[in-house]
Amino acid sequence: MQKYIDANPESGKKFYQDFHNKGKIVMLNLLKFREKANYKNLEQIKPNEIISGEDAYKLYMKSTLPELKKAGSRIIYYGKSNGFLIGPESEKWDAILIVEHESVLKFMEFAQNKDYLKNAGHRTAGLEDSRLLPSTETKNYT
């Protein structure tokens, strides 16, 4: 199974086109942590001791929360996970994170913010795999 950590330019462009001027964006993050964080090519932020992928992700979140708040974003939910009730048994996720952003522009400003980027490597070091699914609210329930 292919692993996904970061967006590519094509998916970033499509995200912008699909969600521009749509209002608030809610991002569903599915997270699978490495057993041990991998700080290869990230020596400038590498902790002094070996840590778990989950602990690396906690370092990422600690530095990211203030930047999220500055951007007008908020965490709606963060929780542990495992297997699907409905879905493939082969897919297991360690955690779920749901974040609301004011707009696609605010999200992109946040994602390019130098204060965010200087510690984003903790995310890369901590994750084995991830999914990021953006959505906008719809009132059409029926």
Side-chain angles (χ1 to χ4, degrees):
M1 180 169 78
Q2 187 172 350
K3 308 283 181 165
Y4 299 88
I5 303 296
D6 297 310
N8 62 50
E10 295 81 27
S11 64
K13 181 178 177 182
K14 180 158 177 33
F15 165 67
Y16 178 81
Q17 291 170 339
D18 289 350
F19 292 93
H20 183 67
N21 290 328
K22 297 274 174 97
K24 291 185 179 185
I25 308 293
V26 174
M27 301 284 221
L28 170 65
N29 295 257
L30 299 178
L31 309 168
K32 179 179 282 298
F33 302 119
R34 296 178 189 271
E35 187 174 322
K36 293 180 184 172
N38 179 358
Y39 281 92
K40 183 179 179 183
N41 300 320
L42 296 167
E43 284 77 20
Q44 70 278 11
I45 61 168
K46 183 179 180 178
N48 293 328
E49 68 274 347
I50 295 172
I51 62 173
S52 70
E54 185 173 8
D55 286 339
Y57 197 82
K58 286 177 184 177
L59 290 173
Y60 163 73
M61 289 303 296
K62 183 179 180 180
S63 64
T64 298
L65 281 172
E67 301 310 317
L68 277 173
K69 288 179 182 174
K70 285 181 198 173
S73 301
R74 68 184 181 104
I75 292 178
I76 295 173
Y77 177 83
Y78 179 80
K80 298 281 187 163
S81 183
N82 196 346
F84 287 103
L85 176 60
I86 299 173
E89 289 182 26
S90 60
E91 273 190 49
K92 305 267 190 237
W93 299 98
D94 297 318
I96 297 166
L97 173 66
I98 302 174
V99 182
E100 179 185 77
H101 300 277
E102 288 296 317
S103 67
V104 70
L105 289 175
K106 286 287 198 177
F107 171 78
M108 294 180 87
E109 286 173 15
F110 156 77
Q112 296 170 7
N113 175 312
K114 65 177 177 56
D115 291 327
Y116 163 75
L117 290 172
K118 68 183 174 188
N119 288 298
H122 290 296
R123 179 183 180 279
T124 303
L127 290 178
E128 179 182 322
D129 198 5
S130 69
R131 301 292 184 273
L132 181 58
L133 182 63
S135 67
T136 56
E137 186 175 17
T138 179
K139 302 292 184 193
N140 301 329
Y141 302 122
T142 58

